[in-house]
Amino acid sequence: MRITALAGGVGGARFVRGLRHHLDTTPGLEDTEVTVVANTGDDITLFGLRVSPDVDTLLYTLGGGIDEAQGWGRADESHRVQSELAAYGAQPQWFALGDRDFGTHVVRSQWLGQGLSLSEVTARLAARWGLPEQRITLLPMTDTPVETHVVVDEGDGERAIHFQEWWVRHQASVPARRFVVAGLDRAAAAPGVLAAIRQADVVLLPPSNPVVSIGIVLGVPGVRDALRGTTAPVVGVSPLISGRPVRGHADACLEAIGVPANAAAVGGLYEDFLDAWLVDPADAGTTLARARVEVFDGPLLMSDVDATARIAAHALRLASSVTA
């Protein structure tokens, strides 16, 4: 079986880890190949280095090096380099990069500077973290540099700031008027992305942010068409429980694009290609406008790897049921 997942950062990474755990502990599914298409709209250049937050969260989570308490960054981290940069007055200081984390960004920037594509760089990083041995292929959504910016109101006018500044520095507390994705208009899907969707046996949408994670991946030319055209069942998992994100600021992102923060509205963002939508029991009774999209409910709190594996298993059962 070939599974393709579109993923953002913490939620997507934890879901894929749970999915892999389910596959590896279920007889007959151990050889299943998983391809993850990662959002790169969060990418940013800091201290002259190219940082890919969602890609790195996937690498560290799937490779066993994540800081579990934070959900991002390296475990057992120190911050001597950033402290030294602060002593020199280097900015910004609102985005914390750890010493081990710096190693990833240095080598990524070095390889990109040598002419490698982001896909090639990501494959090298994935090899370091043992993803191929886990039968996981990690693909950036595009090799084109893409950055999400947030247009905010400053009282006497508008100003665009990088998504990371809005998300990390301001904790999404500054009302967003809209999102602008610089570079997306000239982007092309990275090698293997469209084929992974078209040739999959199952396509999954983990509980990642529907606006600035999965929504950005869907904006890459060709991705949405590939999802509409694939013969694989497409199953999505709601990122909201009772209208609230378990973590992060998905509700603020939905507000910015004029979409209500509820499971039905989020499912509606995908319903042109969705076959099944999994919601939490707290949202049982959810329906989508397109009658062909079947809605099911089951516990969605990813409290640990086993609980997440059960969610992934439920999603795969739904995939089988909608094609039966």
Side-chain angles (χ1 to χ4, degrees):
M1 183 164 60
R2 294 165 298 183
I3 299 174
T4 296
L6 277 56
V10 179
R14 288 181 170 175
F15 180 86
V16 174
R17 182 175 60 180
L19 170 66
R20 188 71 260 176
H21 180 70
H22 165 66
L23 297 170
D24 290 341
T25 56
T26 303
L29 296 183
E30 307 95 324
D31 293 333
T32 298
E33 299 288 335
V34 178
T35 299
V36 182
V37 179
N39 168 47
T40 59
D42 287 10
D43 289 12
I44 186 171
T45 298
L46 296 167
F47 310 114
L49 303 175
R50 195 62 177 162
V51 180
S52 295
D54 281 3
V55 169
D56 294 341
T57 296
L58 284 156
L59 288 170
Y60 300 156
T61 301
L62 300 174
I66 198 73
D67 183 321
E68 292 288 351
Q70 291 183 149
W72 51 270
R74 293 285 302 276
D76 302 320
E77 188 62 281
S78 56
H79 295 83
R80 294 178 180 176
V81 173
Q82 183 135 357
S83 295
E84 189 67 13
L85 289 168
Y88 282 114
Q91 298 296 327
Q93 288 296 322
W94 47 261
F95 197 104
L97 296 175
D99 297 333
R100 295 185 177 194
D101 198 25
F102 261 111
T104 300
H105 312 318
V106 168
V107 76
R108 173 186 291 115
S109 303
Q110 181 182 52
W111 287 335
L112 288 172
Q114 291 171 351
L116 274 69
S117 68
L118 184 59
S119 293
E120 293 168 327
V121 170
T122 301
R124 288 189 180 187
L125 295 172
R128 177 263 188 265
W129 287 100
L131 271 62
E133 289 79 9
Q134 298 181 55
R135 295 167 299 281
I136 298 173
T137 300
L138 179 59
L139 303 175
M141 66 183 195
T142 180
D143 284 338
T144 305
V146 170
E147 293 189 4
T148 303
H149 290 79
V150 186
V151 178
V152 298
D153 190 348
E154 290 202 320
D156 57 348
E158 296 180 341
R159 182 169 69 100
I161 60 176
H162 194 284
F163 168 76
Q164 292 295 343
E165 182 174 358
W166 182 73
W167 189 263
V168 177
R169 183 180 188 182
H170 298 292
Q171 295 290 298
S173 62
V174 180
R177 287 197 170 186
R178 61 187 178 276
F179 298 100
V180 177
V181 189
L184 195 61
D185 57 337
R186 60 179 183 274
V193 167
L194 300 183
I197 295 170
R198 292 169 179 152
Q199 298 170 11
D201 296 303
V202 177
V203 176
L204 298 176
L205 303 185
S208 296
N209 191 302
V211 181
V212 294
S213 290
I214 291 179
I216 305 301
V217 179
L218 294 177
V220 175
V223 168
R224 198 164 202 122
D225 286 341
L227 287 163
R228 293 189 188 110
T230 185
T231 58
V234 182
V235 179
V237 181
S238 174
L240 303 179
I241 298 177
S242 294
R244 299 287 298 176
V246 176
R247 62 178 296 148
H249 315 293
D251 46 353
C253 296
L254 289 164
E255 181 181 357
I257 66 169
V259 173
N262 60 62
V266 173
L269 297 174
Y270 310 139
E271 62 182 344
D272 56 315
F273 56 79
L274 201 62
D275 294 298
W277 185 230
L278 180 58
V279 304
D280 192 81
D283 298 309
T286 293
T287 59
L288 301 188
R290 291 189 67 179
R292 64 171 291 276
V293 181
E294 299 188 54
V295 181
F296 305 84
D297 66 86
L300 295 188
L301 189 61
M302 296 190 293
S303 54
D304 55 34
V305 174
D306 288 334
T308 308
R310 289 191 290 271
I311 298 169
H314 194 171
L316 292 180
R317 288 194 298 271
L318 296 184
S320 298
S321 71
V322 297
T323 56

